[in-house]
Amino acid sequence: MFNHIMVGTNDIEKAKTFYSAVLGTLGLAGDPIEHTADSGHKRLFYAHNGGTLCVSEPINGKPATFANGGTIGFRCSSAEQVKAFHDAGVAHGGTTDEDPPGLRESSMGAMYLSYVRDPDGNKLCAIHRPD
């Protein structure tokens, strides 16, 4: 369904450190594609399994802000990967959001979840649904 998701950043180098670490836990190896637009703003492109996560300095020159109520979810292959995603995020400038990583039971079934905010406040979720 999605081609790409783009989030804004106020510090492209800090964002690169953060996203390279958390996405590395999902098997994304190597550096992102770095691009400077004709307007001069810098962007990072992380491509994986047909989708792309873009991190960009805002094109309008105003500060980047996060979406209130917005969350970007990343599918994980195990509970351990959910925790590794969270821990890499916190170790690289992010902050824990909501409860600590772990199993959650709800009307939607059992799932392992972790929530972390990137250095600019964007909310990320790592999720694994056990069989």
Side-chain angles (χ1 to χ4, degrees), residues 6 8 18 39 45 49 60-61 63 72 75 79 82-83 101 104 106 109 118-119 127-128 131:
M6 184 174 288
F18 176 86
S39 61
F45 294 93
N49 290 339
N60 64 4
I72 300 170
R75 182 177 20 216
V82 168
K83 185 164 181 353
R104 312 286 201 284
S106 76
D118 76 5
I127 181 171
H128 170 67
D131 295 330

Side-chain angles (χ1 to χ4, degrees), residues 39 41 57-64:
S39 61
H41 71 281
E57 296 173 332
I59 215 168
N60 64 4
K62 295 181 180 179

